[in-house]
Amino acid sequence: MSVQERKQRERADRERLIVATARELAEQQGWDAVTTRRLAERIEYSQPVLYSHFRGKREIIGAVALQGATEMAQAVRAAASAADGPRARVTALARAYLAFAARHPAVYDALFQLDGGLAYAQEDTPEPLKDAFAALLECLGEVAGDGVEPGLFTEVFWASLHGVATLTRAGRLPLEDSESRVELLVDRLPVPGTPG
């Protein structure tokens, strides 16, 4: 391995450590606790080293969001692929999405609540974000129904899941009714293209 390759690998390792540490700290204490000073102390690098990787907290939030988007897409795809039939796939997708939001609240916030400097729903949207939406679209597109644009249907269904996730976490909706909300979204609303 050349000196250049070693330096690149070390840089990538430091970057992963910064992101993992920021994520861990945010999950434990919230994003307000994530400062460059605290990160530097935890990873035992100077603040200038942190700034050589990220210009500040906003970029760190963006890096966590991209990592989270990849993980959420994997979770949704795995859940949907294990289900049989369109309605079961949508149910599995909804459960996986809500479970991801509940298990990883700081990552979810980085994705959908905080400014990570990322473009959403635009030409220059980063691939992990596009792929996370594609994971939803793959499943929801098949139930959009005749005359309904699949991307638009996916956006509306996703907005419903986001609302349920956010309001439940904030204590505005009772946690014990989570499964009933999934059933309502999937089974009782007129979901075109699915039986019953």
Side-chain angles (χ1 to χ4, degrees), residues 69-147:
T70 299
E71 293 169 10
M72 188 172 65
Q74 291 169 346
V76 165
R77 282 189 175 110
S81 71
D84 188 29
R87 187 176 295 279
R89 281 190 286 280
V90 173
T91 300
L93 173 145
R95 287 178 181 148
Y97 183 97
L98 294 173
F100 181 89
R103 272 194 319 271
H104 308 289
V107 174
Y108 192 81
D109 284 350
L111 268 165
F112 301 120
Q113 304 286 92
L114 302 174
D115 178 10
L118 303 173
Y120 285 77
Q122 297 176 24
E123 190 86 15
D124 60 341
T125 298
E127 276 308 311
L129 299 178
K130 288 180 182 178
D131 188 55
F133 185 78
L136 299 175
L137 180 62
E138 290 161 11
C139 181
L140 294 168
E142 71 178 322
V143 298
D146 295 337

Side-chain angles (χ1 to χ4, degrees), residues 18-19 22-23 26 31-32 34 39 54 56-68 106-118 120:
I18 293 165
V19 171
R23 182 175 172 166
W31 278 104
D32 286 343
V34 179
L39 285 174
F54 299 99
K57 183 175 176 177
R58 182 178 186 223
E59 285 189 2
I60 294 169
I61 290 169
V64 170
L66 293 176
Q67 189 180 74
V107 174
Y108 192 81
D109 284 350
L111 268 165
F112 301 120
Q113 304 286 92
L114 302 174
D115 178 10
L118 303 173
Y120 285 77

